[in-house]
């Protein structure tokens, strides 16, 4: 057994995990910056949603719109998610393994680097418009303020340092046997995979951002635009698999906290995490299917065929997690109906709406993504608002909602404050999910008819004869959805911030007499019956919808002009 | 458990019936999607182009200007909305250039000015050359009930064969953020009978 210095640790009275005291302020600091970024990105989202609505009561001009898109993208996709992930990474490697952090100095060093990078990014995108309005993607030869790229680089180096600290902490926990088995807990394993993918993403990101930094000072000529784009997405899209690995890990944590559900099969879930690691490498090519620089076999194999393999892990998690909930509820309540377990889930726990809505919307987003990543279908989807529908469903409904769910438990476990507002936290998640559903439906409706993304207004197109009338219902939904989602998001920020400072303090100090939490070995009863028939039925419906949708999109494609000669 | 250690010998626990069925469904799904997309490459009429020449921005512009000429079958004309165009009524090459914030067809026949659009005859097969002379742009034709979206990248002459099968005046928009005038970037493509 491990030797725990009782001054350096406290025992969490709820979970009996040994929490390393010095790591707590670091986790809280990372999470606080994350929530601040979420708040900034949320204000930007509201402004964008209102500006996009086909009625002119927007209070910004078209030029400022692009600045707001830039602020929204960088704050949400990079700052909110990565800052929160770093907090979660520390939580998984210390608290969940009852371990010390390998180095507090590295931890705070990473924090300082990331904060410096964050401030540089914020400074350039807020005060250097339009010069630094180059978007999250920043494709060269667009040229921003050098500090924009330097901010990106410092932030990435900070994340890398945090990642090294994570690996060292895992190593130390293994060596000191601070947790009672050789295999990592499933959720920590998922986070581990996420950090390995992060290292790969950061290397790609560092290459392009250093090139762009040198280019912004005119030290080198503009790098080849498609090479830059390819390597950029080696960071940009790879990073989304950090997010989904972390999200799936959080889903496993949440269902376990709320109901005690275990994965249907440990090996199956671990295989799924490993799948993300193996198949992520060529994912950047998604973004180059309709680009000149690469040949058909390269694009077809990397962007479409290997990407199909990448759908496997997500499809596994999306079945196993509701399946685990179903099995748990069936065992506990002896529910017989096909879907009665859904009603019997503890819906008063924030974990349940975060996971159920998350998986449902993430599944639809994944479906859209698979269609867009299909070699031919990309030609009718690339850079339309459909793309935004895809990643708002995966990254916002999936990742952000999972993180919101986790944050409610985090506040009660680490700073040990009670979340104010009673059931408001559950209502918040429902509101957020509902808003997202409307928002992404609007994006899809407008995008499928050709509305391009990242475009301030379509008025100019209309005046020159593009029929944008049919886009408008989509744009209305987009605006209304954005308003509802941001209301839900604002409620989250409010609940978290107020609870953190003014929430009722809850008991922090448990007793060292209570044992370190460990798994209770249960012999699995072998049965020939399905364990999760309800989830399986929903899964079948989902797959049939997927096939119909996929084939229908090919039908739409076939109506267009002949283009690209068949070989 | 997902937040504590797994069962001992977890890797020896065989997959249950649920997992086996679901894996089968996933594999079927992927095979179906994979064969559809590969099959379409060999038999379908709509595939993303993958032909290009690496070329500097200046050379692309001068090539376009000297190729879009009467002696090669491209003639100055007018679009139905009154804008100038370059017309091609025989199969062959045509060049279109993207620059912040406009699409244009240059030609040495136009004495220094450029055309806002291009005009084709329905049913003929053309070879379109796309290039950008500054930053990345997105070439998107908004059709009646279909779209074509291709990326235009500086440093490349991206060319592809296409056959317009419907007539009408179509707008070419830019769908890649290229600067704060991005939403004003428009060109035209007309197909006549």
């Amino acid at each position: 057994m491990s030797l725990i210095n009782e001054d350096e640790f406290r025992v969490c009275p709820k979970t009996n995990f040994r929490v390393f005291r010095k790591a707590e302020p670091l986790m809280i600091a990372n999470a606080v910056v994350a929530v601040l970024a979420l708040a900034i990105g949320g204000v930007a989202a509201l402004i964008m949603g209102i500006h996009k609505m086909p009625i002119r009561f927007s209070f910004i001009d078209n030029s400022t719109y692009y600045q707001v898109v830039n602020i929204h993208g960088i704050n949400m996709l990079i700052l909110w998610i990565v800052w929160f992930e770093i907090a979660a990474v520390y939580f998984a490697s210390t608290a969940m393994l009852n371990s010390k952090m390998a180095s507090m100095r590295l931890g705070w060093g990473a924090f300082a680097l990331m904060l410096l990078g964050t401030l540089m990014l914020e400074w350039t995108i807020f005060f250097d418009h339009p010069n630094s309005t180059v978007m999250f993607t920043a494709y060269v030869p667009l040229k921003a303020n050098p500090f924009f790229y330097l901010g990106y680089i410092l932030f990435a180096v900070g994340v890398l340092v945090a990642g090294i600290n994570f690996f060292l902490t895992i190593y130390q926990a293994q060596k000191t046997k601070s947790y009672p088995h050789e295999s990592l807990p499933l959720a920590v394993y998922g986070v581990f995979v996420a950090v390995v993918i992060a290292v790969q993403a950061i290397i790609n990101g560092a290459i392009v951002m250093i090139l762009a930094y040198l280019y912004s000072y005119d030290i080198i000529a503009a790098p080849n635009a498609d090479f830059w784009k390819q390597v950029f997405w080696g960071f940009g899209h790879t990073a989304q698999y950090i997010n989904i690995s972390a999200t799936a890990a959080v889903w496993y944590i949440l269902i376990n906290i709320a109901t005690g559900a275990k994965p249907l099969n440990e090996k199956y879930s671990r295989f799924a995490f490993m799948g993300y690691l193996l198949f992520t490498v060529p994912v950047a090519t998604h973004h180059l299917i309709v680009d000149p620089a690469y040949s058909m076999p390269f694009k077809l194999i990397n962007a479409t065929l290997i990407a199909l393999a990448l759908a496997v892990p997500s499809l596994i998690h999306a079945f196993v997690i509701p399946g685990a909930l179903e099995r748990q509820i069936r065992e506990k309540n002896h529910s017989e109906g096909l879907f009665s377990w859904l009603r019997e889930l503890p819906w008063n726990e924030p974990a349940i709406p975060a996971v159920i809505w998350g998986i449902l919307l993430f599944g639809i987003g994944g479906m859209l993504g698979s269609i867009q990543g299909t070699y031919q279908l990309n030609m009718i989807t690339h850079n339309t608002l459909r793309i935004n529908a895809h990643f708002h469903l995966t990254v916002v409904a999936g990742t952000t909602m999972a993180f919101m769910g986790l944050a409610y438990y985090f506040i009660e476990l680490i700073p040990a404050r009670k979340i104010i507002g009673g059931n408001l936290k559950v209502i918040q998640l429902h509101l957020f999910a509902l808003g997202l559903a409307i928002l992404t439906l609007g994006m899809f409706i407008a995008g499928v008819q050709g509305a391009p993304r990242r475009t301030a207004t379509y008025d100019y197109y209309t005046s020159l004869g593009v029929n944008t009338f049919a886009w408008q219902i989509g744009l209305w939904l987009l605006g209304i959805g954005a308003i509802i989602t941001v209301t839900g998001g604002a409620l989250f920020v409010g609940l978290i911030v107020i609870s953190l400072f003014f929430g009722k303090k809850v008991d922090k100090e448990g007793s060292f007499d209570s044992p370190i939490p460990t798994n209770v070995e249960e012999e699995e009863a072998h049965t020939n019956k399905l364990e999760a028939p309800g989830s399986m039925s929903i899964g079948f419906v989902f797959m049939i919808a997927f096939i119909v949708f996929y084939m229908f999109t090919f039908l739409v494609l076939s109506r267009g002009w002949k283009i690209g000669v068949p070989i | 458990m997902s937040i504590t250690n797994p069962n001992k010998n977890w890797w020896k626990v065989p997959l249950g019936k649920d997992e086996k069925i679901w894996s089968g469904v996933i594999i079927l799904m992927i095979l179906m999607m994979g064969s559809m997309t590969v099959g379409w490459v060999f038999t379908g009429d709509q595939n993303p182009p993958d032909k290009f020449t690496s070329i500097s921005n200046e050379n692309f512009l001068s090539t376009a200007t000297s190729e879009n000429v009467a002696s090669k079958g491209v003639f100055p004309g007018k679009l139905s909305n009154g804008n100038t165009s370059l017309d091609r009524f025989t199969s062959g090459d045509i060049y279109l250039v993207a620059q912040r914030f406009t699409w244009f067809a240059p030609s040495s026949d136009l004495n220094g000015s450029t055309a806002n659009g291009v005009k084709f005859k329905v049913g003929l097969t053309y070879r379109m050359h796309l290039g950008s002379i500054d930053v990345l742009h997105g070439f998107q034709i908004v059709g009646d009930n279909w779209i074509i979206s291709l990326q235009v990248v500086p440093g490349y002459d991206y060319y592809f064969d296409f056959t317009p099968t419907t007539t009408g005046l179509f707008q070419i928009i830019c769908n890649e953020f290229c600067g704060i005038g991005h939403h004003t970037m428009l060109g035209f493509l007309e197909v006549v009978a």
Side-chain angles (χ1 to χ4, degrees):
Chain A
M1 279 315 285
S2 62
L3 300 166
I4 281 186
N5 179 345
E6 300 197 358
D7 294 335
E8 288 186 306
F9 286 85
R10 69 179 175 88
V11 175
C12 173
K14 286 208 179 86
T15 62
N16 288 338
F17 280 125
R18 273 47 173 174
V19 183
F20 184 54
R21 287 180 196 274
K22 280 190 192 157
E24 289 185 88
L26 181 58
M27 283 185 232
I28 295 169
N30 277 279
V32 164
V33 182
V35 172
L36 287 177
L38 180 72
I40 296 173
V43 173
L46 183 66
I47 296 172
M48 286 157 70
I50 291 173
H51 189 80
K52 272 278 197 210
M53 280 202 277
I55 186 170
R56 294 281 141 252
F57 54 62
S58 175
F59 35 85
I60 56 164
D61 58 23
N62 290 326
S63 160
T64 312
Y65 175 82
Y66 293 112
Q67 184 185 16
V68 176
V69 176
N70 199 22
I71 291 170
H72 175 70
I74 286 171
N75 274 289
M76 290 305 207
L77 197 56
I78 308 238
L79 301 178
W80 144 247
I81 289 184
V82 178
W83 276 105
F84 195 89
E85 270 165 357
I86 298 301
V89 153
Y90 292 150
F91 181 71
S93 59
T94 60
M96 290 176 72
L97 299 181
N98 315 293
S99 175
K100 278 189 192 180
M101 183 169 276
S103 162
M104 287 314 298
R105 212 173 281 170
L106 280 183
W108 285 110
F111 180 84
L113 276 172
M114 285 169 65
L115 190 64
L116 193 59
T118 300
L119 292 175
M120 275 185 194
L121 276 170
E122 299 282 15
W123 177 73
T124 51
I125 60 184
F126 269 95
F127 301 112
D128 192 26
H129 174 73
N131 188 27
S132 290
T133 300
V134 293
M135 304 292 158
F136 156 71
T137 47
Y139 295 145
V140 297
L142 287 174
K143 193 190 273 184
N145 188 314
F147 283 101
F148 175 84
Y149 305 111
L150 191 61
Y152 244 122
I153 294 166
L154 289 177
F155 184 77
V157 173
V159 175
L160 194 61
V161 172
I164 291 168
N165 199 10
F166 169 80
F167 290 131
L168 292 174
T169 305
I170 296 277
Y171 174 72
Q172 181 182 282
Q174 289 268 7
K175 216 175 61 178
T176 59
K177 296 199 183 342
S178 67
Y179 62 100
H181 191 275
E182 284 177 344
S183 299
L184 291 172
L186 179 63
V188 183
Y189 178 80
V191 171
F192 190 93
V193 168
V195 181
V196 177
I197 299 175
V199 172
Q200 180 202 337
I202 289 168
I203 291 169
N204 282 312
I207 293 172
V208 285
M209 288 307 159
I210 289 169
L211 283 175
Y213 180 60
L214 297 175
Y215 165 61
S216 69
Y217 273 122
D218 287 317
I219 296 170
I220 58 168
N224 180 306
D226 252 358
F227 164 78
W228 198 94
K229 191 181 171 199
Q230 165 83 353
V231 182
F232 173 83
W233 284 110
F235 148 71
H237 213 121
T238 307
Q240 304 320 315
Y241 287 89
I242 311 171
N243 297 344
I244 177 56
S245 297
T247 302
V250 170
W251 282 339
Y252 284 110
I253 296 176
L254 289 176
I255 62 167
N256 196 286
I257 296 177
T259 70
K262 297 175 179 188
L264 290 181
N265 181 301
E266 189 81 25
K267 182 166 60 178
Y268 199 46
S269 295
R270 285 180 193 242
F271 165 79
F273 277 118
M274 189 53 89
Y276 287 132
L277 195 56
L278 294 178
F279 301 128
T280 307
V281 180
V283 77
T285 321
H286 272 346
H287 297 261
L288 292 108
I289 295 176
V290 293
D291 273 49
Y294 300 91
S295 67
M296 181 275 289
F298 181 87
K299 294 194 272 199
L300 181 66
I301 293 169
N302 288 311
T304 305
L305 299 180
I306 298 179
L308 282 176
L310 202 43
V312 175
S314 294
L315 286 168
I316 291 178
H317 290 310
F319 168 68
V320 164
I321 291 166
L325 281 173
E326 179 176 354
R327 182 176 68 178
Q328 184 73 5
I329 298 295
R330 279 184 195 287
E331 278 177 9
K332 210 159 57 184
N333 299 1
H334 304 287
S335 327
E336 289 296 333
L338 198 54
F339 302 116
S340 52
W341 59 276
L342 265 175
R343 212 178 45 243
E344 290 165 23
L345 287 169
W347 285 97
N348 57 340
E349 288 271 352
I352 296 302
V355 171
I356 297 290
W357 275 109
I359 290 178
L360 182 72
L361 296 178
F362 179 88
I364 299 170
M367 197 194 292
L368 287 175
S370 295
I371 287 170
Q372 286 152 195
T374 298
Y375 185 57
Q376 296 83 3
L377 302 180
N378 190 255
M379 210 163 43
I380 60 170
T381 55
H382 180 69
N383 272 353
T384 63
L385 273 175
R386 272 177 91 150
I387 305 291
N388 304 52
H390 154 67
F391 67 73
H392 279 86
L393 284 168
T394 51
V395 181
V396 189
T399 305
T400 296
M401 274 186 66
F403 288 0
M404 282 176 169
L406 184 66
Y408 288 126
Y409 297 96
F410 179 84
I411 293 279
E412 298 199 350
L413 294 178
I414 299 297
R417 300 276 190 159
K418 194 150 176 48
I419 300 284
I420 59 150
N423 247 353
L424 219 49
K425 55 189 177 186
V426 177
I427 295 168
Q428 181 271 317
L429 286 163
H430 285 297
L431 197 63
F432 194 75
L434 176 75
L436 272 175
I438 299 172
L439 171 83
T440 50
L441 181 66
M443 284 170 169
F444 179 79
I445 290 174
V448 88
Q449 302 175 81
R453 63 184 292 202
R454 285 177 172 172
T455 302
T457 169
Y458 307 123
D459 290 355
Y460 194 70
Y461 300 166
T462 317
S463 70
L464 287 170
V466 181
N467 180 9
T468 56
F469 184 73
W471 302 0
Q472 290 189 3
I473 182 159
L475 298 174
W476 274 112
L477 290 174
L478 190 160
I480 294 164
I483 292 168
I484 300 174
T485 314
V486 173
T487 310
L491 195 52
F492 169 79
V493 174
L495 285 177
I496 290 294
V497 172
I498 296 173
S499 304
L500 181 62
F501 292 105
F502 307 108
K504 207 176 110 221
K505 282 189 181 152
V506 292
D507 183 24
K508 262 186 107 154
E509 307 291 335
S511 155
F512 277 95
D513 296 335
S514 52
I516 288 179
T518 181
N519 179 35
V520 186
E521 295 265 345
E522 284 169 15
E523 197 54 46
E524 283 211 35
H526 284 287
T527 115
N528 246 346
K529 267 174 64 184
L530 285 178
E531 289 183 298
S535 306
M536 184 73 82
S537 317
I538 300 171
F540 276 137
V541 172
F542 174 83
M543 286 300 208
I544 290 165
F546 197 167
I547 294 173
V548 171
F549 192 20
Y550 188 76
M551 289 303 180
F552 183 75
T553 316
F554 265 103
L555 183 71
V556 173
L557 175 80
S558 72
R559 291 195 303 195
W561 294 349
K562 287 184 182 173
I563 179 169
V565 209
I567 20 173
Chain B
M1 282 217 334
S2 350
I3 57 173
T4 59
N5 53 302
N7 282 347
K8 284 211 168 66
N9 301 333
W10 55 266
W11 62 90
K12 286 184 185 160
V13 179
L15 292 189
K17 200 175 175 185
D18 300 74
E19 295 94 281
K20 281 180 187 158
I21 296 176
W22 188 245
S23 304
V25 172
I26 294 177
I27 290 167
L28 266 179
M29 186 80 187
I30 282 181
L31 287 178
M32 189 278 294
M33 289 171 75
S35 35
M36 185 76 197
T37 182
V38 173
W40 200 276
V41 169
F42 293 98
T43 60
D45 282 334
Q46 294 85 12
N47 279 294
D50 73 332
K51 301 277 186 291
F52 67 90
T53 331
S54 289
I55 187 168
S56 73
N57 295 347
E58 299 76 31
N59 286 350
F60 182 77
L61 185 59
S62 61
T63 308
T65 312
S66 59
E67 290 287 322
N68 280 345
V69 289
S71 60
K72 306 237 168 142
V74 180
F75 299 91
K78 279 256 181 293
L79 296 169
S80 61
N81 66 3
N83 288 17
T84 53
S85 74
L86 290 181
D87 300 355
R88 169 140 216 154
F89 296 140
T90 51
S91 286
D93 294 50
I94 190 130
Y95 285 74
L96 189 68
V97 182
Q99 185 183 22
R100 291 200 255 196
F101 300 103
T102 173
W103 295 97
F104 66 92
S107 165
S108 41
D109 292 350
L110 288 172
N111 303 323
S113 82
T114 57
N116 287 109
V118 284
K119 193 154 69 184
F120 301 113
K121 221 175 182 63
V122 71
L124 295 183
T125 298
Y126 295 94
R127 174 160 290 184
M128 173 89 94
H129 296 257
L130 293 177
S132 161
I133 56 172
D134 46 31
V135 297
L136 272 85
H137 295 281
F139 171 88
Q140 184 183 328
I141 305 176
V142 188
D144 297 328
N145 47 24
W146 50 271
I147 53 176
I148 293 175
S149 173
L150 299 170
Q151 193 87 56
V152 185
V153 182
Y156 294 91
D157 169 1
Y158 193 16
Y159 63 91
F160 56 92
D161 294 340
F162 78 105
T163 312
T165 45
T166 43
T167 58
L169 178 68
F170 302 99
Q171 291 81 4
I172 302 167
I173 62 175
C174 175
N175 68 15
E176 184 67 74
F177 173 75
C178 56
I180 54 169
H182 166 61
H183 54 276
T184 63
M185 185 161 168
L186 262 159
F188 299 96
L189 189 155
E190 188 161 18
V191 183
V192 293

